[in-house]
Amino acid sequence: MGREWVSAADLTRWRERLVEAEVRRIQAEYGCVAPPHVAASRLLHHYLWSACLLLSGPWYLDRRVLRLRPEDVWIEAASGDLAVRPGGFACLAGDPAAGGECGGNVRERGVRVVAGEEELRAELRAAVVAHAAGVLEAFRPVVKRGDRALWGMVTDDLVSGIWHLGRMLGDEERAVAEAAVLLPGGPPPFPGGAAFRRLPGTDGRSHHLTRTRLGCCLYYTIRPADTCVTCPRTGDAERVRRLEG
């Protein structure tokens, strides 16, 4: 049987089937039957984390912001796998693709050149908002949460993707600094900023970076004893224990 791919531009029509498939995946992995709103939240988190990383990754690594429309992303119904067909990108004047034309359009290559770092950060924020808005609307009826909670999840997934890249590349401090400048405290519709803080380690010398999520993927309803390390339900002492363990 062939795989069934659904355009992210058509999530509303396929929402019920996608959520049912997520219920089956949760049951297979965790041995429990998740209510539809929990399965939808988990699937939405998976999608947003992936989409935000697709946008923030090239920005963090190469200072390029992709053009990623919902119709450029597909989700496979049974597995939740994603496939992507990105378009052009925005970059800085010093990028080899820019052709030295600051503020112009290198149309034949789908490249748009912006003037500086803050303009590129604005491009990234705008790209995330443009992509996420329709996805949130598609899932809103089943996740049953308001704007602050939904855009809080977008904020978390955008920040955590950059943080993840930094840790994987051995450059966590830079990633945290970049995320803090990208999202210092908004702007709307993001309900808050990266808001990293440091926790003292048990040896009195080390300090662990952490933040508290603005939204929730509802993983705690599946594994109550194993909340996310950045979950508001996870106290600082438990965070340190896990980070050092």
Side-chain angles (χ1 to χ4, degrees), residues 10-160:
D10 201 21
L11 289 175
T12 300
R13 185 162 69 92
W14 291 87
R15 179 180 59 223
E16 184 175 347
R17 186 177 298 186
L18 292 170
V19 172
E20 288 172 352
E22 184 68 16
V23 170
R24 291 192 293 271
R25 287 193 293 272
I26 291 172
Q27 185 170 15
E29 184 171 354
Y30 299 104
C32 64
V33 178
H37 75 283
V38 171
S41 294
R42 294 295 300 160
L43 181 60
L44 178 60
H45 165 56
H46 162 68
Y47 181 95
L48 290 174
W49 195 91
S50 302
C52 285
L53 186 58
L54 285 167
L55 290 165
S56 67
W59 168 79
Y60 181 76
L61 297 171
D62 296 318
R63 284 303 190 258
R64 293 180 174 183
V65 175
L66 298 182
R67 178 171 175 254
L68 189 67
R69 305 168 301 173
E71 55 265 37
D72 295 329
V73 181
W74 293 266
I75 182 168
E76 205 279 314
S79 66
D81 291 344
L82 298 180
V84 182
R85 181 188 58 197
F89 58 87
C91 65
L92 298 171
D95 191 294
E101 187 186 356
C102 183
N105 290 288
V106 188
R107 294 179 180 176
E108 65 275 16
R109 297 195 298 274
V111 177
R112 194 166 78 83
V113 185
V114 299
E117 290 281 0
E118 181 49 40
E119 289 79 2
L120 196 65
R121 284 190 287 268
E123 285 283 331
L124 176 55
R125 290 189 294 264
V128 170
V129 170
H131 190 92
V135 176
L136 296 185
E137 286 306 309
F139 278 90
R140 186 188 298 273
V142 64
V143 297
K144 300 178 181 178
R145 279 183 278 175
D147 278 345
R148 181 176 178 81
L150 290 173
W151 283 105
M153 184 182 288
V154 177
T155 305
D156 293 332
D157 288 334
L158 175 56
V159 171
S160 64

Side-chain angles (χ1 to χ4, degrees), residues 3 6-8 15 102 112 117 141-142 159 164 187 211 226 236 243:
R3 305 182 81 187
V6 177
S7 168
R15 179 180 59 223
C102 183
R112 194 166 78 83
E117 290 281 0
V142 64
V159 171
H164 171 76
R211 65 182 298 272
D226 189 23
D236 285 354
L243 290 166

